[in-house]
């Protein structure tokens, strides 16, 4: 283990890369199946991802520029490694690859075979393999594109000189486009005119549909991926999602991958930017201030509540608010709840933890939210405190009705307030519409056989559901009685790590990228936060600190649980002559299921960036 305060500088460790195997086979290759031998001579970057994970989606965007710039030397392979049961369905992976514009080969690994061979512990994880088939780097989390590009350039130079670099076209084969009216729509909004506005997410547009929910009235946006204000024909979006009607009759749009809020003038079709810089918010940046000067992070949904636009900031596991009335000439944004730590913790807004909030619905006294990664429905009260109605945490999910404390959902993306005070839940990965009634504390199922429902809007006695993976809006009559379904319960597909009871050495490995050093100008450059579910699992070692190495004490009486580890390290260019060096923040949250077993491991290594020295082996 390299001491985090003084990263070693040595020759690059090389470990022979295990073979790529996945029961689901290959996508984006024209049905050709590949092995590592087929890719010899190319620099291969394995991106271990799962499509529910917002951090994984951030990495997809980070890699686009590198992928284009080094297309003749680099092959990016997405290794899809599911968390939820739904994500193990091959059809769902095919949909996700198109939905998120993945333009490289993807290996569908529903049984986590390649994940285990590479000892991956977190989504997302990037592994770099050199042209001779050796692993030379591993990075967990997001924000590593700059370091990987530097490494790619070094490998290009090294293997060009050795004659082991093979340039040329890669194995990517684009799929044929499908001629549907909508393509993976995200959210919908009923307009005062009786029509509906839909975020046509994959086509980077907004679509107004007639009252029948099918006939196109107009499209807003050119359909190109981008961030450009202007007329309805020329403006551009980047995977827009949430929509909310403002008091002035305009619509605010959560322009998710642009990390921005946009405004649509319904009368003219003109699009302008309300909030965000177009760049993703990173740790250490301002969390409040003038709306156009503060960066956002994957805003997924928006709702007008108590005079502000509340934002489900999926990318940093928080709620923010846009305040148009703070100053008539200078609207503001600010965090309203959440710490950026990922999990399920209730309480006052500044102390609450969320996990990818993705759906909002406002009533007079509550702001409902779908907290997708905890498979939970939660709400904010008038005092700003956060409560959980349904859901228990990151690792338990399923389809079970009944009393809310034992009911289960699976990655819900939408919530809709109903007239009787209950809430409809777009239970996305269960392909169902569910209902939670606060009056009775019961969860029921309203409809099944939907395909990845992501939102719903009321239309009189009907409800119009966004069936995202069927590319349409589906009208349902709200049933008087619930549908009965067979109950199922699941835990995450990841196998628990067997560890010994008592002392456990936690090592977070971080090696500053080549040409950089740890940024100690303003104090410690690293941070480590550790907690557990249940809390009783840890009898020592919990809490925050600046050392990336820590000894934990595990209670032998608690046989299994989850260790929650959040690590951050800041590095800057190591060039004394540069007065303004570029600096980067590396961060990752791990949720590690553990099982206490006599004879289990007494050390838990988690790679943030670099290689674990204890695993180095030259071949």
């Amino acid at each position: 283990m390299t001491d985090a305060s003084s990263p070693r500088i040595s020759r690059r460790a090389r470990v022979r890369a295990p073979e790529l195997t996945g029961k689901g086979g290959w996508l984006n290759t024209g049905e050709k199946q590949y092995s590592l031998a087929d890719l010899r001579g190319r620099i291969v970057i394995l991106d271990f991802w799962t499509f529910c994970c917002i951090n994984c989606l951030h990495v997809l965007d980070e890699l686009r520029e590198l992928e284009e710039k080094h297309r003749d030397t680099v092959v990016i392979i997405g290794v899809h490694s599911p968390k939820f049961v739904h994500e193990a369905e091959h059809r769902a992976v095919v949909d996700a690859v198109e939905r998120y514009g993945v333009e490289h080969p993807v290996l569908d690994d529903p049984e986590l075979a390649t994940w285990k061979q590479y000892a991956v512990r977190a989504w997302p994880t990037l592994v770099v393999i050199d042209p001779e088939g050796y692993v030379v780097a591993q990075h967990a989390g997001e924000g590593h594109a700059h370091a990987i590009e530097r490494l790619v350039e070094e490998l290009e130079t090294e293997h060009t000189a050795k004659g082991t670099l093979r340039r040329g076209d890669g194995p990517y084969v684009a799929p044929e486009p499908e001629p549907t009216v909508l393509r993976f729509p995200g959210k919908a909004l009923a307009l005062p005119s009786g029509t509906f506005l839909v975020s046509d997410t994959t086509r980077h547009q907004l679509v107004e549909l007639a009252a029948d929910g099918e006939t196109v009235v107009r499209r807003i946006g050119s359909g190109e991926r981008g961030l450009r204000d202007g007329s309805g024909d020329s403006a551009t979006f980047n995977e827009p999602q949430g929509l909310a009607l403002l008091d002035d009759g305009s619509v605010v749009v959560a322009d998710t991958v642009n990390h921005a809020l946009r405004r649509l003038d319904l009368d003219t079709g003109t699009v302008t930017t309300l909030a965000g810089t177009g760049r993703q918010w990173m740790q250490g940046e301002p969390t409040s201030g003038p709306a156009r000067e503060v960066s956002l992070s994957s805003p997924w949904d928006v709702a007008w509540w108590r005079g502000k636009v509340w934002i489900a900031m999926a990318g940093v596991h928080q709620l923010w608010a846009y305040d148009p009335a703070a100053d008539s000439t200078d609207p503001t944004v600010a965090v309203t709840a959440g710490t950026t730590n990922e999990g399920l913790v209730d309480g006052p807004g500044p102390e609450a933890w969320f996990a990818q909030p993705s759906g909002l619905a406002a009533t007079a006294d509550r702001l409902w939210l779908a907290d997708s990664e905890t498979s939970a429905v939660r709400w904010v009260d008038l005092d700003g405190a956060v409560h959980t109605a349904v859901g228990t945490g990151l690792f338990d999910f399923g389809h079970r009705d009944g009393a809310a404390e034992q009911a289960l959902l699976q990655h819900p993306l939408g919530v809709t307030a109903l007239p009787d005070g209950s809430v409809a839940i777009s239970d996305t990965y269960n392909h169902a519409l569910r209902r939670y009634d606060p009056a009775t504390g019961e969860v029921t199922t309203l409809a099944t056989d939907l395909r990845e429902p992501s939102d719903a809007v009321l239309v009189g006695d009907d409800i119009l559901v966004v069936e995202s993976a069927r590319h349409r809006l589906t009208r349902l009559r709200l049933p008087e009685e619930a549908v009965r379904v067979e109950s199922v319960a699941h835990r995450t597909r990841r196998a628990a790590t067997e560890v010994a009871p008592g002392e456990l050495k936690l090592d977070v490995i971080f090696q500053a990228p080549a040409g950089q050093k740890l940024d100690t100008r303003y104090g410690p450059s690293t941070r480590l936060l550790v907690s557990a579910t249940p809390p009783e699992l840890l009898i020592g070692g919990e809490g925050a600190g600046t050392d990336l190495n820590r000894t934990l004490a595990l209670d032998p009486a608690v046989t299994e649980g989850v260790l929650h580890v959040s690590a951050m390290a800041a590095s800057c260019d190591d060039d004394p002559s540069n007065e303004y060096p570029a600096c980067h923040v590396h961060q990752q949250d791990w949720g590690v299921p553990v099982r206490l077993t006599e004879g289990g491991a007494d050390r838990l290594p988690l790679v943030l960036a670099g290689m674990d020295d204890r695993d180095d082996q030259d071949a």
Side-chain angles (χ1 to χ4, degrees):
M1 163 66 190
T2 299
D3 185 89
S5 63
S6 56
R8 65 179 171 89
I9 299 176
S10 67
R11 69 181 177 83
R12 194 183 301 117
R14 302 207 310 169
V15 179
R16 178 64 72 178
E19 189 52 83
L20 304 178
T21 58
K23 189 175 181 181
W26 290 80
L27 306 175
N28 282 356
T29 62
E31 300 187 357
K32 182 176 178 180
Q33 307 298 298
Y34 280 88
S35 68
L36 276 178
D38 298 322
L39 304 172
R40 193 64 51 82
R42 310 300 291 273
I43 300 165
V44 177
I45 300 173
L46 303 181
D47 175 16
F48 289 88
W49 71 299
T50 188
F51 63 77
C52 71
C53 162
I54 192 67
N55 309 93
C56 299
L57 303 186
H58 289 167
V59 167
L60 285 176
D61 294 317
E62 289 176 4
L63 292 176
R64 291 186 200 280
E65 184 176 347
L66 183 148
E67 191 169 22
E68 181 60 34
K69 185 176 179 180
H70 299 271
R71 190 170 292 279
D72 66 333
T73 60
V74 171
V75 175
I76 296 177
I77 304 290
V79 183
H80 189 268
S81 313
K83 171 187 174 181
F84 290 98
V85 169
H86 171 59
E87 293 175 307
E89 296 177 15
H90 183 70
R91 178 70 247 175
V93 180
V94 172
D95 285 346
V97 168
E98 181 189 351
R99 180 195 296 269
Y100 297 116
V102 180
E103 295 184 353
H104 51 247
V106 172
L107 175 65
D108 180 12
D109 183 19
E111 297 176 346
L112 302 179
T114 298
W115 167 287
K116 294 170 186 173
Q117 285 294 311
Y118 281 82
V120 175
R121 295 183 184 274
W123 295 278
T125 291
L126 298 169
V127 175
V128 182
I129 302 171
D130 72 13
E132 295 178 288
Y134 290 92
V135 175
V136 293
Q138 181 172 328
H139 300 265
E142 52 186 289
H144 301 294
H146 65 284
I148 290 177
E149 180 162 20
R150 176 75 176 263
L151 176 56
V152 163
E153 291 169 349
E154 291 179 1
L155 290 171
E156 287 175 341
T157 300
E158 175 186 341
H159 288 275
T160 296
K162 292 174 68 175
T164 49
L165 184 67
R166 177 169 56 90
R167 295 178 180 267
D169 293 335
Y172 171 67
V173 177
E176 290 293 324
E178 297 285 343
T180 53
V181 172
L182 302 173
R183 203 69 192 163
F184 297 105
K187 304 289 184 180
L189 175 68
L191 298 178
S193 63
T195 61
F196 300 96
L197 190 66
V198 182
S199 53
D200 197 13
T201 304
T202 297
R203 292 202 177 122
H204 316 296
Q205 291 180 316
L206 308 179
V207 179
E208 185 177 357
L209 298 178
D212 61 8
E214 299 178 6
T215 305
V216 174
V217 176
R218 60 173 166 167
R219 292 182 178 272
I220 296 107
S222 71
E224 298 176 0
R225 187 189 291 268
L227 176 55
R228 183 173 64 236
D229 289 343
S231 67
D233 293 333
S234 64
T236 56
F237 299 94
N238 198 342
E239 298 183 25
Q241 288 281 349
L243 308 164
L245 197 64
L246 301 181
D247 282 350
D248 64 3
S250 65
V251 173
V252 60
V253 182
D255 196 3
T256 304
V257 180
N258 275 328
H259 311 293
L261 296 188
R262 315 290 293 281
R263 176 185 181 274
L264 169 64
D265 185 313
L266 288 170
D267 293 331
T268 66
T270 302
V271 176
T272 52
T273 299
L274 294 178
T277 62
R279 300 183 305 275
Q280 181 186 341
W281 182 92
M282 301 300 288
Q283 287 286 352
E285 294 186 9
T287 55
S288 63
R292 292 291 301 273
E293 298 176 16
V294 177
S295 294
L296 311 181
S297 183
S298 297
W300 206 275
D301 202 7
V302 282
W304 180 255
W305 191 54
R306 302 178 64 198
K308 297 178 181 179
V309 176
W310 286 65
I311 309 165
M313 203 72 78
V316 284
H317 318 298
Q318 291 181 312
L319 298 180
W320 288 42
Y322 167 82
D323 187 352
D327 186 303
S328 60
T329 61
D330 197 6
T332 60
V333 290
V335 175
T336 55
T339 64
T340 77
N341 293 315
E342 185 177 11
L344 193 155
V345 177
D346 289 339
E351 300 172 13
W353 290 24
F354 301 98
Q356 218 167 296
S358 301
L360 298 174
T363 65
D365 60 352
R366 291 186 181 188
L367 180 70
W368 293 98
L369 67 107
D371 203 27
S372 62
E373 279 293 283
T374 53
S375 297
V377 170
R378 307 174 73 185
W379 54 281
V380 181
D381 66 24
L382 294 176
D383 295 323
V386 178
H387 310 262
T388 297
V390 186
T392 60
L394 286 164
F395 296 94
D396 294 292
F397 55 92
H399 191 150
R400 187 163 63 202
D401 287 336
E405 58 267 20
Q406 57 84 53
L408 294 172
L409 310 169
Q410 187 178 181
H411 197 80
L413 290 178
V415 283
T416 306
L418 299 179
D420 64 357
S422 66
V423 60
I425 307 158
S426 294
D427 193 5
T428 310
Y429 289 2
N430 279 329
H431 310 299
L433 189 68
R434 312 283 293 282
R435 176 177 178 263
Y436 167 68
D437 186 351
T440 63
E442 293 286 312
V443 174
T444 52
T445 298
L446 299 178
T448 58
D449 194 31
L450 302 166
R451 186 68 185 172
E452 293 192 18
S454 55
D455 196 20
V457 293
L458 282 174
V459 189
D461 292 331
D462 295 342
I463 192 164
L464 202 61
V465 180
V466 180
E467 269 198 282
S468 188
R470 283 199 177 112
H471 320 292
R472 69 187 188 190
L473 305 187
T474 299
R475 188 182 296 262
L476 302 173
R477 178 56 55 98
L478 280 172
E480 295 182 6
E481 295 184 3
V483 177
R484 294 190 178 276
V485 297
E486 183 178 348
S487 295
V488 292
H490 302 287
R491 299 214 79 201
T492 177
R493 299 178 65 83
R494 293 174 57 190
T497 299
E498 293 192 350
V499 297
E503 288 194 352
L504 177 68
K505 180 66 181 299
L506 172 64
D507 286 338
V508 175
I509 294 98
F510 177 75
Q511 296 159 5
Q516 296 184 23
K517 64 179 180 180
L518 289 175
D519 180 12
T520 56
R521 293 173 298 167
Y522 308 108
S525 60
T526 56
R527 184 187 68 188
L528 182 65
L529 176 67
V530 180
S531 62
T533 303
E536 296 77 21
L537 174 64
L538 276 177
I539 55 177
E542 72 279 3
T546 58
D547 193 344
L548 294 184
N549 308 323
R550 189 180 299 183
T551 299
L552 309 180
L554 307 180
D555 188 346
V558 181
T559 58
E560 63 179 24
V562 178
L563 292 175
H564 303 283
V565 180
S566 178
M568 185 275 287
S571 64
C572 290
D573 291 346
D574 187 10
D575 182 358
S577 65
N578 185 356
E579 186 178 356
Y580 302 104
C583 296
H584 309 275
V585 174
H586 315 256
Q587 63 183 82
Q588 173 62 21
D589 294 334
W590 291 268
V592 184
V594 295
R595 181 178 300 111
L596 274 58
T597 307
E598 291 296 337
D602 61 3
R603 175 178 180 261
L604 177 61
L606 300 175
V607 177
L608 178 58
M611 298 283 285
D612 183 5
D613 287 354
R614 294 200 185 185
D615 291 337
D616 288 357
Q617 43 185 300
D618 296 321

